[in-house]
Each structure stands twice: as C-alpha cells, then as structure tokens.
C-alpha cells in the first residue's frame, strides 16, 4: 500500500448514474480512478433510472386486477439490462452467466406480481420484495462491466449484509447485526482487493425476508455501510453538481453550495431537497465520516462537501431554499381547548396511529388552535381520526372543528449562519410580501438553521424565486 494512500471510500451511484451506457462509462472511469487512490473502495448502486417506479406501479396495477402489461414490462426490463450489459461485456460466456441471473430475478418478479394479482392486494412486504429487484439487477450489470474493464468486482445483495426490522417500505437497520455481517462478508473481500458492488435501498430481516429502507434509500445504504466499515469518506454520485441553492429543476439559476454543515444538509433533505435521503446524515455524523456530493456526468466539478457543525457565518446567511409540495394544513381549533388537558399529545398520538409523519407544526399565538402539515392525500383520513379522538370534546364544544386546508407547499430557507443573524425572518417575510405572497403559517426549525413558511400551492414557483434571490453564495 502506498504510504499516502487514503483508506476506505464508499461511493454511491444513483439511478441516473447507472441509467444508460454513457453514464456507466463515467462510473467505470470514476471507480478506476478511486481504486488507484484508495486502499479499498465499496460501490453502492441504485436501480437503473425509472426501474423502481416501473416495478412498483406494475405491482399496484396487478393488485387492481390489470395484468395486461406484465409481459411487456418484463420484456422491457430484460432488454434494458441486456443492452447495458452488452455495451460493456463482449465475452459471450460472461454475458450468458449474467443474463442467466437477470432472468432468474425476472422470473421471481413475475411470480411476485402473480401472487399479488391472485391476492388482489399488494402488501408492504410484497411491495418490498418487488421493489428490491431493480437494485439486484443493476449491481449484477455494473459488477460485470467493472470486471470486463479489468477491475476486480463482485455483485452483492445487501439482503446478505444489511439487517433490518420488519417495518416494510421504511425499515430500520439493526446496526450491531449489520456490523457483524459486514465484518464477515464484506471485509474479507476488501482485503482481497475486490470492489464490492452492493445493492442500495434494500436489506432483510433476521429471518431473511427482504425489506427496503424507503424510496431514495440508496444514500442511506451507503451511509450504513460506511459507518459499519468505519470508512473515511462517502461520495454520493448523482446527476447534478452537488447540493445546490435550490432544486435546479425548479430554479435553473441554482448554484452549487461548496460547503454545508451536516445540520444544514439534514434540514435540506428533510424539507424536500431530494438530493440526499434525510436518514443518511445521522450515521455519517456519528461516525465522523466525510461526505461529498458529486456529479457523475461532470466528475471534475468539486461538488459539495458536508462538514462538521460549526456555524460558518461568512458562508452566507441563507444558503438554500427547498419546497415540500402536496401538503395540506390540518387545524384543530376551539375556544375551549385551553382547558382540555393533553390536546397536543392526543392530537399527535392520533396522527401517529394513522402512520403519517408530520413535517411541520406551526405555533399559534393563542392556545386556541393546533396547526400542522401532512401529505395532502392523507388529510381526510387524519381529519377522521381526530374527529374520532376528540368526539367528546367536539360534542361539548370545547373543540369547534378539525379541518384541512386546500393544498399548500412548505418553503424552507436553510443556513446555519441564521442563528447569529438577527432579522432573517423579517427579510424572508419581506421577500414574499414584495411579491404579494401570503404566508399562511410559519415554523422555525429547532436547530435554528431553518425557517419554514407555508404558502398556497400556486405560490410555489414565485415564492421559491423570491427566497432564492436572498441567497448570496
Ligand atoms: P439519484 O438517483 O442520484 O439518487 P435523485 O433524483 O434522488 O438522484 O436526487 C438528485 C436530484 O435531486 C437532482 O436531479 C435534483 O433535481 C434534485 N434536487 C432537489 N433539490 C436539490 C438541491 N438543493 N440540490 C441539488 N439537487 C436537488
Ligand atoms: N431505487 C430506489 C428508489 O428509486 C432507491 C434509490 O434510488 O435511492 O427509490
Ligand atoms: Mg436519490
């Protein structure tokens, strides 16, 4: 080993980074370069772009009794993976071996869809088994392409190493059990100079039942493995130049943020900046691992570095803006609420029972209402749950009503410099007011690195633009 060589690097490639041959060519070059500079490299890969979506929507379709597209979808998936394979692997034997594995996975997928069709219901457990097929296929193609380009690589299903509970569709890793498997299974391969190409997104219960970590969870997989391996750095390779001042799909003027704190990026991820899965941050901070977000299609761009939590005032006050769309505000209100004990606790317990997470709670100045945001499509069920919970209070008129607003969006400004800078909230309101945008509710993050504002759905674009103008990089 070169005395100056760095130790262990985990690199995660998202769906678009493995979506087609041009992208995979970049991945091969990136892995080759990393292999030369680091003593060990672990690759975590997502499914080919769009595949997870295809797998899940087909599952919902067959559950409704429509299996008319099953054959064409299987054919499409087969062709897409085969095309990618043949672009990089010319050896016939190797092609056949890999396609043999892909065909087995597709057969299993066909049986899963069939089982869902027979039951007429897609259970969370069945959906996880289906959804994980995309990653299982992609890592086999990627490992084969790496091998064909002369890099020792091996496809690995994370079902063999990431142990989770059985909360399907959003499973939690069992860190100790995962650690043991990583030591047994991954470490020896790294010692032998192999680049493991591990499926993102998936894990398995101790009994071996496949689970997923939630949509977009491949980032989290990389973080879990990096923590278990005590990696030095994690590089998240995606399709934009790092973490940007806004989603470049919504705000084309968005720019790369060269340096962010863990807290800032956690807040951004939490409030809808899809560039990083929110749960990714925690294991990385806890293990003191460096994190970068880079562009597979522009690898020489320095991207973003995520650093420790010292507030860096000089880096600017507001660093980024995000939007969470498709929300509705639920309000529980009544003049008699003041005297009813535990209203807030009962409200959120009732919401929790519906399995909904609440991204924002807004404080009212009087104690006569509680107001919080929920995903729009869950609002009716939550109102019903609350009406049931407070049936007595409603009858007694202590609570006047529980209601859901029209669709709203949550706009959030993020920046750790805010905590030391007075008047930020004023500037934020001013910027929106100047555009005639009405702020329906406001909430400040507990860590004081973010302020969230709820505005009408139709004010999304204008509001984001107005807030984005407050950023100076
Ligand atoms: P991957 O498949 O690589 O995981 P994702 O689609 O999950 O990619 O995340 C990358 C996308 O996140 C970008 O294409 C971009 O549109 C979106 N995004 C949203 N907010 C931001 C932001 N603040 N900075 C960068 N990207 C963002
Ligand atoms: N393929 C999974 C998804 O689309 C996981 C990921 O891409 O991070 O959600
Ligand atoms: Mg992602």
């Amino acid at each position: 080993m070169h005395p100056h060589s760095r130790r262990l690097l985990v690199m995660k490639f998202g769906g678009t980074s493995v979506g087609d041959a041009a992208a995979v060519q970049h991945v091969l070059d990136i892995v080759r370069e990393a292999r030369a500079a680091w003593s060990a490299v672990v690759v975590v890969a997502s499914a080919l772009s769009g595949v997870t979506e295809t797998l899940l929507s087909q599952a919902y379709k067959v559950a409704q009794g429509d299996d008319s597209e099953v054959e064409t979808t299987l054919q499409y998936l087969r062709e897409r993976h085969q095309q990618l394979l043949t672009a990089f692997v010319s050896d016939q034997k190797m092609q056949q071996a890999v396609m043999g594995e892909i065909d087995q996975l597709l057969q299993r997928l066909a049986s899963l869809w069939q089982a869902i069709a027979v039951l007429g219901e897609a259970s969370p457990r069945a959906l996880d088994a289906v959804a994980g097929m995309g990653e299982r296929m992609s890592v086999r193609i990627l490992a084969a392409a790496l091998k064909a380009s002369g890099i020792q690589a091996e496809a690995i299903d994370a079902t063999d190493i990431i142990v989770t509970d059985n909360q399907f569709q959003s499973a939690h890793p069992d860190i100790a059990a995962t650690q043991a498997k990583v030591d047994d299974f991954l470490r020896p391969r790294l010692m032998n100079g192999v680049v493991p190409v591990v499926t993102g997104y998936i894990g398995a219960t101790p009994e071996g039942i496949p689970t997923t970590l939630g949509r977009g969870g491949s980032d989290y997989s990389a973080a879990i493995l990096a923590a278990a391996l005590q990696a030095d750095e994690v590089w998240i390779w995606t399709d934009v130049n790092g973490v940007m001042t806004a989603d470049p799909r919504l705000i084309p003027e968005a720019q790369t943020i060269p340096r962010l704190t863990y807290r800032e990026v956690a807040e951004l991820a939490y409030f809808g900046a899809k560039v990083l899965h929110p749960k990714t941050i925690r294991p990385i901070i806890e293990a003191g691992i460096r994190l970068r977000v880079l562009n597979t299609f522009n690898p020489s761009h320095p991207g973003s570095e995520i650093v420790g939590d010292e507030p860096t005032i000089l880096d600017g006050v507001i660093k980024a803006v995000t939007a969470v769309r498709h929300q509705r505000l639920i309000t529980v209100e009544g003049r008699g609420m003041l005297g009813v004990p535990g209203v807030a606790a009962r409200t959120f317990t009732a919401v929790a029972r519906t399995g909904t997470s609440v991204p924002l709670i807004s404080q009212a100045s009087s104690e006569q209402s509680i107001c919080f945001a929920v995903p729009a499509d869950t609002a009716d069920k939550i109102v019903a749950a609350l009406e049931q919970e407070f049936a007595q209070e409603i009858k007694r008129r202590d609570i006047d009503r529980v209601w859901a607003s029209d669709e709203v969006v949550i706009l959030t400004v993020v920046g750790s410099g805010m905590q030391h800078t007075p008047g930020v909230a004023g500037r934020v309101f001013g910027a929106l007011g100047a555009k005639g945008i009405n702020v329906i509710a406001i909430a400040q993050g507990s860590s004081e690195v973010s302020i969230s504002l709820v505005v009408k759905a139709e004010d999304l674009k204008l509001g984001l633009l107005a807030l984005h103008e407050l950023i100076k990089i």
Side-chain angles (χ1 to χ4, degrees):
M1 198 205 309
H2 190 276
H4 298 300
S5 73
R6 290 173 290 177
R7 290 191 308 126
L8 205 157
L9 172 67
V10 175
M11 295 200 290
K12 175 261 174 174
F13 294 93
T16 49
S17 301
V18 291
D20 59 24
V24 170
Q25 185 56 56
H26 282 295
V27 174
L28 300 187
D29 296 341
I30 289 166
V31 174
R32 182 173 309 106
E33 218 170 284
R35 197 67 201 79
W38 294 76
S39 24
V41 172
V42 176
V43 168
V44 174
S46 292
L48 274 51
S49 54
V51 165
T52 310
E53 204 57 51
T54 303
L55 295 171
L56 286 170
S57 55
Q58 195 56 242
Y60 291 123
K61 228 178 227 168
V62 297
Q64 311 260 293
D66 177 1
D67 64 359
S68 60
E69 280 168 23
V70 165
E71 276 313 313
T72 45
T73 306
L74 288 168
Q75 199 57 35
Y76 157 79
L77 290 170
R78 185 174 200 280
E79 272 165 23
R80 203 158 152 212
H81 288 87
Q82 188 173 33
Q83 261 174 22
L84 202 53
L85 180 69
T86 50
F88 294 95
V89 176
S90 47
D91 180 75
Q92 293 285 320
K93 268 214 180 105
M94 193 160 166
Q95 272 186 18
Q96 275 170 14
V98 177
M99 279 318 290
E101 290 188 41
I102 301 284
D103 282 332
Q104 268 181 20
L105 292 169
L106 289 171
Q107 254 170 34
R108 172 110 189 96
L109 178 62
S111 326
L112 286 164
W113 279 337
Q114 203 185 0
I116 292 172
V118 169
L119 292 170
E121 183 195 26
S123 67
R125 173 173 165 169
L127 287 171
D128 272 2
V130 166
M133 288 298 173
E135 273 72 8
R136 290 182 195 235
M137 292 192 280
S138 72
V139 293
R140 284 165 171 78
I141 307 290
L142 189 54
L146 283 164
K147 271 194 262 185
S149 81
I151 297 167
Q152 271 194 78
E154 186 182 337
I156 290 180
D157 288 330
T159 43
D160 291 331
I161 43 179
I162 296 186
V163 183
T164 72
D165 63 10
N166 65 358
Q167 196 178 319
F168 297 104
Q169 298 192 288
S170 174
H172 298 284
D174 175 335
I175 299 296
T178 301
Q179 178 78 60
K181 296 230 179 194
V182 163
D183 288 342
D184 279 359
F185 203 80
L186 225 45
R187 281 227 188 258
R189 286 169 166 82
L190 293 174
M191 304 286 271
N192 289 331
V194 172
V195 175
V197 183
V198 187
T199 53
Y201 184 44
I202 65 176
T205 66
E207 299 76 34
I209 301 161
T211 55
T212 68
L213 304 170
R215 291 304 307 275
S218 295
D219 302 330
Y220 192 28
S221 309
I224 294 166
L225 293 178
L229 286 163
Q230 291 155 303
D232 299 274
E233 298 198 17
V234 175
W235 295 359
I236 304 284
W237 291 93
T238 183
D239 61 350
V240 289
N241 292 335
V243 181
M244 310 189 74
T245 52
D247 184 344
R249 283 184 232 185
L250 290 170
I251 307 283
E253 306 80 37
Q255 290 177 42
T256 301
I257 308 170
R259 232 152 51 98
L260 297 87
T261 66
Y262 282 120
R263 260 195 217 160
E264 288 171 330
V265 80
E267 211 78 356
L268 269 173
Y270 181 77
F271 284 110
K274 202 186 138 203
V275 64
L276 263 187
H277 189 283
K279 287 186 190 160
T280 306
I281 319 298
R282 196 164 152 197
I284 304 229
I285 314 180
E286 283 173 355
I289 297 167
R290 290 180 74 182
L291 176 61
R292 290 175 171 281
V293 181
L294 297 157
N295 188 350
T296 303
F297 303 92
N298 187 10
S300 60
H301 190 286
S304 301
E305 187 188 356
I306 319 298
V307 298
D309 257 344
E310 331 83 358
T312 43
I313 301 170
L314 290 177
D315 282 352
V317 176
I318 297 173
K319 283 192 180 166
V321 299
T322 64
V324 184
R325 286 191 263 190
H326 309 304
Q327 302 290 305
R328 287 170 76 189
L329 281 178
I330 307 283
T331 306
V332 180
E333 66 184 7
R335 265 155 301 173
M337 266 171 61
L338 251 174
V340 181
V343 177
R346 282 170 61 199
T347 300
F348 293 110
T349 307
V351 175
R353 272 200 299 272
T354 69
T356 312
S357 64
V358 173
L360 172 141
I361 301 169
S362 176
Q363 257 168 315
S365 48
S366 68
E367 279 180 45
Q368 296 180 356
S369 71
I370 295 174
C371 173
F372 55 95
V374 296
D377 57 359
T378 64
D380 292 339
K381 132 178 124 182
I382 286 168
V383 169
L386 290 171
E387 281 172 349
Q388 195 183 349
E389 172 67 35
F390 292 116
Q392 289 303 322
E393 286 79 3
I394 291 170
K395 210 156 135 200
R396 285 201 300 266
R397 302 288 312 270
D398 284 339
I399 287 175
D400 293 326
R401 61 178 188 147
V402 177
W403 59 284
S405 70
D406 287 340
E407 201 167 303
V408 295
V409 292
I410 305 171
L411 303 179
T412 303
V413 296
V414 176
S416 52
M418 290 191 332
Q419 46 191 321
H420 300 282
T421 314
V424 178
R427 276 166 60 210
V428 166
F429 276 117
L432 294 176
K435 300 277 195 263
I437 296 169
N438 180 35
V439 176
I440 304 168
I442 176 166
Q444 177 149 35
S446 56
S447 55
E448 285 190 55
V449 305
S450 73
I451 299 174
S452 294
L453 308 124
V454 178
V455 302
K456 280 196 236 144
E458 61 259 36
D459 289 333
L460 166 70
K461 194 72 191 276
L462 195 60
L464 263 185
L465 265 173
L467 296 175
H468 194 254
E469 280 168 14
L470 297 174
I471 299 173
K472 290 180 202 78
I473 282 271

